[in-house]
């Protein structure tokens, strides 16, 4: 059976969701393609019994947390993890929060969706929330209003870029030193509004200021747009930054004959270049997420073949309950758009 035959065999019982960084072979078979926020929202609206999530593990885990109990979420490749999500172990978060709160300050944790269910659960139990690249400014404002300071994790780049969007002085943003098992973390001080966990996306971190400077020299006509997981100096030197869906919207709106340089994962940049031949679309630098690439057509086909007997992605009930609170705070805070 081809993948198309398998999909039509399951009919309404199946929904295939894919992130924008998936290869065309997967995107072409997906019922819905989106950024992290759109995919999370879509899960809560689906009626299908089987949800096959083509992305990386934290996405499938979030989908499993948000899905109804009778629905099954499957990941074609269980080993497709996220380097950034792995930079924040839940046990370390508990230590860091305890140390920051020693001063009696209320420090609200705000975790990027690119984190494990265990991290989201700790955040949920501390009254915090999840954010995505599409709603990070709104959620950082929400978290600042909810307490004295915010612990933003695990992406220091997104945290710093978002604090800048809100106009916070850089002296009120502090990157934490997590060596010695978090024992260097000081009690929260009144002058600091945002503490940054020192994680990053290894893929977007490869894009350097020198790449922007080279583009400005060789393509002075280009508008440069990047993902906010990029280094702060890269975002500051660009003409705009936003989620994958923002980059897609900007490419669609670019005038014919114009040049756009996009700084994000290459599957998306190349797809936009093919989709908009009237615009010259260049990568700021070619960067690939090897974990996103693990889901290929053969893996999707194999998962569809065993769907009725496959073990779905499961998160234990206690972790899922607390993580759901953190996810639902985000969905409620952003109910009227990102
Ligand atoms: P968005 O699609 O939400 O912008 O996230 C990008 C990402 O890092 C996925 O790994
Ligand atoms: Fe994780 Fe970066 Fe890959 Fe996204 S692009 S899945 S953040 S490693």
């Amino acid at each position: 059976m081809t993948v198309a035959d398998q999909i039509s065999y399951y009919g309404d019982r199946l929904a295939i969701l894919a992130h924008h960084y998936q290869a065309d072979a997967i995107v072409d078979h997906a019922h819905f393609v989106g950024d992290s926020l759109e995919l999370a929202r879509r899960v809560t609206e689906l009626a299908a019994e089987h949800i096959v999530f083509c992305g990386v593990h934290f996405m499938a885990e979030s989908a499993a947390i948000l899905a109804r109990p009778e629905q099954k979420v499957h990941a074609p490749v269980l080993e497709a993890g996220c380097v950034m999500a792995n930079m924040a172990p839940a046990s370390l978060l508990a230590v860091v929060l305890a140390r920051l709160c020693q001063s009696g300050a209320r420090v609200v944790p705000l975790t990027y969706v690119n984190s494990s269910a265990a991290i989201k659960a700790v955040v949920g139990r501390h009254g915090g929330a999840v954010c995505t690249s599409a709603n990070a400014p709104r959620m950082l404002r929400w978290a600042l209003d909810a307490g004295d300071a915010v612990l933003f994790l695990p992406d220091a780049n997104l945290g710093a870029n978002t604090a800048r969007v809100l106009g916070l002085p850089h002296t009120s943003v502090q990157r934490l030193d997590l060596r010695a098992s978090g024992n260097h973390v000081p009690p929260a001080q009144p002058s600091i509004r945002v503490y940054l966990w020192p994680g990053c996306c290894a893929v977007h971190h490869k894009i350097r200021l020198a790449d922007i400077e080279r583009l400005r020299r060789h393509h002075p006509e280009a508008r440069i747009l990047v993902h906010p997981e990029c280094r702060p100096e890269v975002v500051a030197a660009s003409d705009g930054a936003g989620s994958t869906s923002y980059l897609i919207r900007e490419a669609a709106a670019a005038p014919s004959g114009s040049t756009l340089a996009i700084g994000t994962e290459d599957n998306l940049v190349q797809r936009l270049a093919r989709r908009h031949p009237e615009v010259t679309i260049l990568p700021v630098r070619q960067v690939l997420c090897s974990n996103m690439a693990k889901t290929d057509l053969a893996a999707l086909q194999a998962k569809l073949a065993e769907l009725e007997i496959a073990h779905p992605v499961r998160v234990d009930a206690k972790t899922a309950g607390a993580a759901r609170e953190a996810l639902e705070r985000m969905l409620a805070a952003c109910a009227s758009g990102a």
Side-chain angles (χ1 to χ4, degrees):
M1 261 210 249
T2 65
V3 172
D5 292 337
Q6 290 173 307
I7 293 171
S8 75
Y9 166 80
Y10 287 108
D12 290 350
R13 295 174 56 219
L14 169 69
I16 301 177
L17 303 189
H19 185 265
H20 290 306
Y21 292 161
Q22 291 288 293
D24 280 1
I26 300 296
V27 163
D28 289 348
H29 286 102
H31 295 99
F32 182 76
V33 186
D35 69 13
S36 308
L37 180 61
E38 293 163 340
L39 289 163
R41 280 192 179 131
R42 185 51 66 108
V43 167
T44 63
E45 297 162 358
L46 289 173
E49 173 190 346
H50 295 286
I51 299 169
V52 175
F53 209 114
C54 301
V56 289
H57 192 67
F58 74 80
M59 295 179 172
E61 237 182 14
S62 296
I65 292 165
L66 290 170
R68 290 192 302 281
E70 68 278 12
Q71 291 178 305
K72 296 183 189 76
V73 174
H74 306 270
V77 182
L78 280 172
E79 309 75 51
C82 165
V83 181
M84 183 203 293
N86 295 342
M87 291 179 186
S91 52
L92 185 55
L93 173 58
V95 171
V96 170
L97 274 171
R99 291 190 67 89
L100 286 172
C101 293
Q102 261 173 5
S103 61
R106 164 126 177 78
V107 179
V108 178
L110 181 63
T111 185
Y112 191 26
V113 70
N114 299 29
S115 54
S116 66
I119 281 283
K120 293 184 181 88
V122 176
V123 168
R125 284 188 202 108
H126 276 79
V130 174
C131 73
T132 75
S133 62
N135 61 21
R138 184 189 286 215
M139 291 310 299
L140 181 56
R141 174 49 55 213
W142 174 93
L144 286 166
D145 289 347
D148 303 310
V150 174
L151 169 58
F152 190 97
L153 70 153
D155 188 359
N157 288 346
L158 180 64
N161 290 325
T162 308
R164 187 167 162 267
V165 170
L166 294 194
L168 295 177
H170 70 91
T171 48
S172 69
V173 179
Q174 190 177 96
R175 192 182 164 99
L176 291 172
D177 176 353
L178 296 187
R179 287 170 304 166
S181 313
N183 285 328
H184 292 314
V185 173
Q189 309 141 45
S191 60
I192 304 298
R193 300 302 313 284
V194 179
Y195 292 92
L196 302 174
W197 190 276
C200 72
C201 164
V203 177
H204 287 89
H205 210 62
K206 284 184 188 147
I207 300 175
R208 314 294 292 240
L209 182 57
D211 297 316
I212 307 283
E213 291 168 345
R214 180 183 37 78
L215 268 165
R216 294 280 188 219
R217 274 198 309 277
H218 297 305
H219 297 277
E221 76 289 4
R223 191 166 168 243
I224 303 179
L225 304 176
V226 300
H227 195 278
E229 286 174 15
C230 290
R231 295 163 187 263
E233 64 271 26
V234 167
V235 171
S238 301
D239 299 309
S243 75
T244 50
S245 288
Y246 161 84
L247 299 171
I248 291 167
R249 282 196 301 277
E250 292 297 313
S256 179
S258 65
T259 303
L260 209 54
I262 301 185
T264 196
E265 212 275 343
D266 206 48
N267 269 308
L268 177 56
V269 180
Q270 297 308 329
R271 182 173 310 120
L272 290 174
R274 284 191 294 277
R275 194 180 286 170
H276 301 290
E278 73 289 359
V279 180
T280 302
I281 295 185
L282 312 165
V284 173
R285 169 185 276 263
Q286 263 189 311
V287 290
L288 276 163
C289 178
S290 54
N291 278 302
M292 284 283 178
K294 285 179 182 162
T295 303
D296 57 13
L297 204 53
L300 176 59
Q301 190 159 27
K303 185 53 73 178
L304 292 175
E306 60 162 26
L307 212 52
E308 307 280 13
I309 53 158
H311 290 296
V313 175
R314 288 246 185 265
V315 178
D316 72 83
K318 222 166 121 208
T319 305
R324 191 178 305 113
E325 280 185 49
L327 280 159
E328 284 177 348
R329 282 188 194 115
M330 169 184 78
L331 294 173
C334 301
S336 52

